[in-house]
Amino acid sequence: MAQSKPLTPSVEAVVSRMRGLDAALPARDGVAVFNRVYLAVTEEVERRLRAGIFPDPGAASALDVRFAERYLAAVDAVADDRRPPACWRPLFQFRRHPGVRPLQFALAGINAHIGHDLALAVVDTCRALGCEPAELEDEFDRVGELLVALEERIREDLMPGPDLLQIADPLTHLLGSWSLERARDATWSAARALWALRRFEDLAEEFTERLDAAVGFAGRMLLTPLPD
């Protein structure tokens, strides 16, 4: 694939939009918790794009923008009293629940965005650039590695301090059942499957709906209210 142009204003616009949400939402709001996490990821992607770390910065920025647009479209849908994709509904439904902890909000948002949005963003980007998913694999992996590293930091920052009682803490058991690395691997398989089905619209739509529902179910489990 030919080298694309480097960083476009669209990435800057995405960062600006998320900063606006960060300023507007109450800090404890579940969407705000995820937005702060995702803003940090997108700012780091922007920094690496400017530093020339991505082999094809144009492809990386195209993927990053299309990825972010799906999250922002879900935010806009809720603001306009429309239903967001099923994968996002649990986070918006439970965003103010007092029994859901910040780490749950963060990981539920990551689950929705990685498990559903990223696969569709890969297909969107391939269509826009006229390439195959294999040609985006390096960019996909680099963004995924950044997310995995950030997830580790999120768990450290938002998980209550370690002590012997936490061995039996419900949060530890609940969140120990979900892995971003496994979700990322499944997403790459889903993106390749969707690309292979692109000429079969009915099958592609059914696959997308089932993926959306499955990711939404996992998100609902991650947001199980817990006792203090």
Side-chain angles (χ1 to χ4, degrees):
M1 183 167 57
Q3 290 285 311
S4 306
K5 294 180 180 180
L7 183 63
T8 68
S10 296
V11 177
E12 296 172 2
V14 163
V15 169
S16 177
R17 176 76 193 282
M18 284 191 277
R19 286 174 178 162
L21 287 171
D22 184 53
L25 293 172
R28 183 61 176 79
D29 182 286
V31 177
V33 173
F34 167 71
N35 189 79
R36 286 194 295 273
V37 170
Y38 191 32
L39 174 58
V41 171
T42 309
E43 287 174 334
E44 181 61 18
V45 169
E46 182 183 36
R47 187 192 69 76
R48 294 186 185 195
L49 283 166
R50 292 189 181 282
I53 294 174
F54 287 97
D56 186 342
S61 61
L63 177 60
D64 184 65
V65 168
R66 282 163 178 79
F67 187 29
E69 284 175 341
R70 289 193 169 271
Y71 157 61
L72 295 172
V75 172
D76 290 340
V78 173
D80 294 339
D81 292 324
R82 293 180 286 111
R83 280 166 66 85
C87 62
W88 284 107
R89 287 172 205 160
L91 180 61
F92 285 99
Q93 290 168 355
F94 284 80
R95 62 193 294 179
R96 298 180 182 89
H97 197 294
V100 180
R101 303 182 193 179
L103 180 57
Q104 291 175 265
F105 288 133
L107 294 187
I110 292 172
N111 169 70
H113 205 36
I114 297 294
H116 173 266
D117 293 356
L118 184 53
L120 274 62
V122 169
V123 174
D124 292 343
T125 305
C126 286
R127 290 184 185 277
L129 299 182
C131 67
E132 297 286 324
E135 296 175 78
L136 290 179
E137 191 167 7
D138 285 346
E139 286 72 27
F140 179 94
D141 285 343
R142 285 174 183 265
V143 172
E145 289 165 5
L146 176 59
L147 285 163
V148 169
L150 186 62
E151 185 209 12
E152 294 172 358
R153 197 178 79 195
I154 292 165
R155 288 180 184 266
E156 291 174 359
D157 290 348
L158 298 182
M159 180 72 83
D163 58 49
L164 292 177
L165 294 178
Q166 285 188 305
I167 294 173
D169 187 274
L171 182 63
T172 303
H173 291 284
L174 177 65
L175 301 181
S177 64
W178 187 84
S179 162
L180 192 151
E181 289 194 68
R182 289 197 299 269
R184 186 185 64 174
D185 290 344
T187 292
W188 183 245
S189 296
R192 293 175 61 208
L194 280 169
W195 185 250
L197 291 171
R198 67 191 183 281
R199 296 184 181 87
F200 305 95
E201 293 185 8
D202 290 347
L203 286 174
E205 183 177 355
E206 181 179 350
F207 184 96
T208 302
E209 289 177 356
R210 292 183 182 275
L211 176 66
D212 190 20
V215 174
F217 178 77
R220 174 63 186 84
M221 296 301 100
L222 285 169
L223 292 171
T224 299
L226 299 172
D228 292 333

